Amino acid sequence: MLLAGEAVVAFLAALVLPLLARGFKLDPLDRIAQVSGLAAVQLRFAVIGFLLLGAVVLALRFRSGRHFGLVSRFSAAALAGLASGFVAAGAVIALLGTPWPMFGLNGDSGRIVEWAHAVANGQPSGSPVYPPAPLYTLGYYAEWFHGGNTAYAFKDLQILGAAAFGPLVYLSWRMLLSPVRALAFGVLPAFALIDAYKPYSQTVLVVLVPVLVALVVHLRRSGTDAWRTLLLKAAGFGALLGLMFLTYSGWFLWSGLGVLVAALAYFPWRADRRKGLAYLGATGAAFLLVCGSYLVTMLTEGQDTKDSSFRFDNMTDPAYFLMWRTDMPGKVGEWPLPGEFGGMDLFAVVMFVALGAALWLGIRKPLVVTICCMFASAWLMRMYIASHMYETQTVQLYTRTNNQLLYCGLLLCALVAHLVSLRVMERRQATEAGDGAGAGLPGPRVAVVGTLFALLFLLGTVSSSMADRYMPAKENTYRILPWVSHTVQKLDGTCPKFAPGGQCSQKGDQTWETMIK
């Protein structure tokens, strides 16, 4: 019941700021008005936040803190909703005065609006492999509230989808962590990915991670669960995963291998294996019951779907994932920006160190191991698809793994703080109990595992960055050095195989000299 109360509080809080923003009187195309609007939303966000904080302080002091746990629980849920409601309020301001969704009927917006209108009228969508849940949701919503106008309806769902982001992430992490820890270590990292344009894709990612972790956690315990409890949990996880697969399926591809490894690691081999198999079987059956038809379509027709749209981030170092600037990146100069350590910035170094530290401190915890496996899985899939890019002349959305890699990395950074705090609490409890040894850090052998895991990705990323600086290009960087090599005439008088335009000379292209003046 309390968790249901948290859900109600979170979703209601998510609507407060967007509703208030509807009454703003400003021109959304005027930059001063935009700044004023953001400040107005921030003011309301801060005031409500201070009220929540004040309620927590009062609960701590009133009646010996009897209601502190309850108030802090609901305050954490409300803050998760307010945060995504802030982003939704920004979308409200941006779209004041227009009934159209972001980007009107252009690009992805136009396609989604068109396909949703088709499925709502019993016709096939323009893409059989596109996730059907967003299209049907938009189609039915348009019928109910906009007389079938899917374009106008999509504006509403962009705003509502952004608002629902925080509550959904918070409730997902509540399966694993306490309220404040779920807010700090689960919800906060997710806000690097919140999106009001197509909110459902990023929402599926940030919800999928804790759901898959919870799936593995319960698999580990399945050997000792009662049959009824085991089957109900499995069916619930399978149905939830099926619904998410219908909403956005890409993250399942990136995560599949890692979750398989985690499941094998935490399968109840030493307990009742029949229950472990039954748990996996029931999960799979419920999953297929919900999305089996779409999965078959993906496997049969998805093979013929080719993504040949090369964007600016397909031309950058494939090991760089720390910022996805979307398909419309704006003004892009040198990218990635050069960092202090082997082309990588301090943030990258800290993240990879956190990967190793999290594995060191939590190597026995499915929460940590599963996220590490999902990170590694996305990394391998990214490199596999990118390595075939030249041969196939297709992208296959491999750059979208940026989001999963970044989110998993941020989660592991946050979980280091979580794990350290748990160690401190364990040591304090051991001290109070008179146990002089207390709860120390894991041994050096476990530290080796974490260190090697971190160094694998850190060295691979840095090495890729340093190798990329020598990829031939006619520009005023080190890339001019191998470029000239391809323009120098060979000793037999012919040009190198890949000489630009088949042209070369005895000294090679010397126009680089004018580039440095």
Side-chain angles (χ1 to χ4, degrees):
M1 288 298 295
L2 287 178
L3 186 59
E6 289 179 64
V8 171
V9 169
F11 281 109
L12 288 177
L15 296 176
V16 172
L17 295 176
L19 289 174
L20 292 175
R22 293 182 63 188
F24 290 178
K25 307 297 182 182
L26 52 81
D27 178 0
L29 302 184
D30 184 280
R31 182 55 186 165
I32 299 300
Q34 294 168 8
V35 174
S36 295
L38 291 173
V41 176
Q42 185 71 254
L43 176 63
R44 288 154 178 78
F45 176 82
V47 169
I48 297 172
F50 286 138
L51 291 175
L52 293 173
L53 184 60
V56 173
V57 173
L58 288 176
L60 178 63
R61 300 176 62 88
F62 184 67
R63 302 187 66 177
S64 302
R66 180 179 302 179
H67 302 294
F68 176 77
L70 183 65
V71 175
S72 61
R73 174 192 292 253
F74 288 139
S75 295
L79 188 54
L82 279 172
S84 57
F86 194 132
V87 179
V92 170
I93 294 172
L95 296 175
L96 281 174
T98 176
W100 299 104
M102 292 187 184
F103 215 27
L105 297 179
N106 302 290
D108 288 349
S109 286
R111 284 190 291 269
I112 293 169
V113 165
E114 178 185 350
W115 295 344
H117 184 269
V119 299
N121 288 276
Q123 302 171 0
S125 73
S127 172
V129 299
Y130 195 83
L135 303 182
Y136 280 97
T137 300
L138 176 56
Y140 286 123
Y141 181 89
E143 292 291 336
W144 295 336
F145 298 104
H146 286 276
N149 188 328
T150 51
Y152 287 9
F154 193 35
K155 173 187 173 180
D156 289 359
L157 292 188
Q158 286 178 334
I159 295 168
L160 292 173
F165 182 91
L168 290 174
V169 181
Y170 174 79
L171 294 172
S172 300
W173 279 102
R174 283 290 285 116
M175 294 188 294
L176 300 163
L177 300 172
S178 65
V180 175
R181 289 178 182 270
L183 182 65
F185 306 134
V187 175
L188 180 60
F191 269 74
L193 303 175
I194 190 170
D195 181 13
Y197 179 42
K198 292 189 297 181
Y200 53 88
S201 61
Q202 306 304 328
T203 302
V204 170
L205 168 61
V206 295
V207 170
L208 181 65
V209 173
V211 168
L212 288 177
V213 172
L215 176 72
V216 174
V217 169
H218 288 286
L219 172 63
R220 187 186 194 187
R221 302 170 182 168
S222 62
T224 57
D225 277 346
W227 280 102
R228 178 182 174 84
T229 301
L230 179 148
L231 294 176
L232 287 175
K233 287 180 180 178
F237 277 119
L240 181 57
L241 289 171
L243 180 60
M244 287 192 285
F245 189 81
L246 290 174
T247 305
Y248 196 84
S249 55
W251 314 122
F252 288 79
L253 173 63
W254 317 135
S255 306
L257 178 61
V259 175
L260 175 62
V261 171
L264 291 173
Y266 290 103
F267 187 85
W269 300 105
R270 298 181 181 180
D272 191 341
R273 299 180 186 177
R274 296 175 304 163
K275 290 185 175 181
L277 291 172
Y279 177 85
L280 293 176
T283 302
F287 176 79
L288 293 175
L289 184 64
V290 173
C291 67
S293 176
Y294 174 56
L295 178 61
V296 171
T297 301
M298 287 285 292
L299 294 176
T300 54
E301 301 187 38
Q303 302 297 324
D304 300 326
T305 302
K306 304 295 183 183
D307 174 21
S308 56
S309 299
F310 285 83
R311 305 172 181 88
F312 90 102
D313 50 355
N314 300 125
M315 312 299 175
T316 61
D317 175 11
Y320 184 83
F321 65 90
L322 295 163
M323 183 185 295
W324 184 54
R325 296 189 60 166
T326 76
D327 299 337
M328 301 175 66
K331 299 178 181 179
V332 179
E334 184 176 359
W335 188 260
L337 297 174
E340 300 83 3
F341 177 70
M344 305 306 297
D345 58 21
L346 183 60
F347 172 62
V349 177
V350 170
M351 176 176 288
F352 287 119
V353 170
L355 258 65
L359 196 58
W360 171 45
L361 296 170
I363 196 169
R364 298 185 182 276
K365 297 183 180 295
L367 171 62
V368 173
V369 174
T370 304
I371 294 175
C372 287
C373 289
M374 293 177 69
F375 181 95
S377 175
W379 180 274
L380 291 175
M381 289 298 299
R382 175 186 181 88
M383 298 307 165
Y384 174 79
I385 296 174
S387 67
H388 290 79
M389 187 166 56
Y390 179 73
E391 176 186 352
T392 63
Q393 289 297 297
T394 60
V395 177
Q396 302 304 91
L397 297 178
Y398 84 85
T399 50
R400 301 299 173 90
T401 56
N402 282 30
N403 298 334
Q404 182 165 329
L405 291 168
L406 178 60
Y407 184 47
C408 289
L410 290 172
L411 284 175
L412 291 169
C413 288
L415 288 177
V416 170
H418 168 64
L419 295 169
V420 169
S421 68
L422 290 180
R423 292 282 175 179
V424 171
M425 292 174 60
E426 291 171 359
R427 178 176 288 275
R428 179 178 178 180
Q429 292 171 356
T431 302
E432 292 176 351
D435 184 357
L441 296 174
R445 293 183 178 180
V446 179
V448 170
V449 176
T451 300
L452 291 177
F453 185 77
L455 290 176
L456 172 67
F457 292 105
L458 179 56
L459 290 173
T461 305
V462 171
S463 297
S464 183
S465 175
M466 297 304 288
D468 186 47
R469 68 194 297 202
Y470 294 104
M471 294 296 148
K474 191 173 182 180
E475 60 186 38
N476 185 25
T477 67
Y478 264 35
R479 294 183 175 188
I480 193 64
L481 303 181
W483 169 273
V484 171
S485 301
H486 288 279
T487 66
V488 177
Q489 192 177 74
K490 296 195 292 186
L491 295 179
D492 61 3
T494 62
C495 292
K497 181 178 180 179
F498 299 105
Q503 301 296 315
C504 60
S505 63
Q506 188 173 8
K507 291 186 176 182
D509 186 354
Q510 297 298 307
T511 57
W512 61 270
E513 294 180 334
T514 62
M515 299 169 61
I516 63 175
K517 294 180 180 179

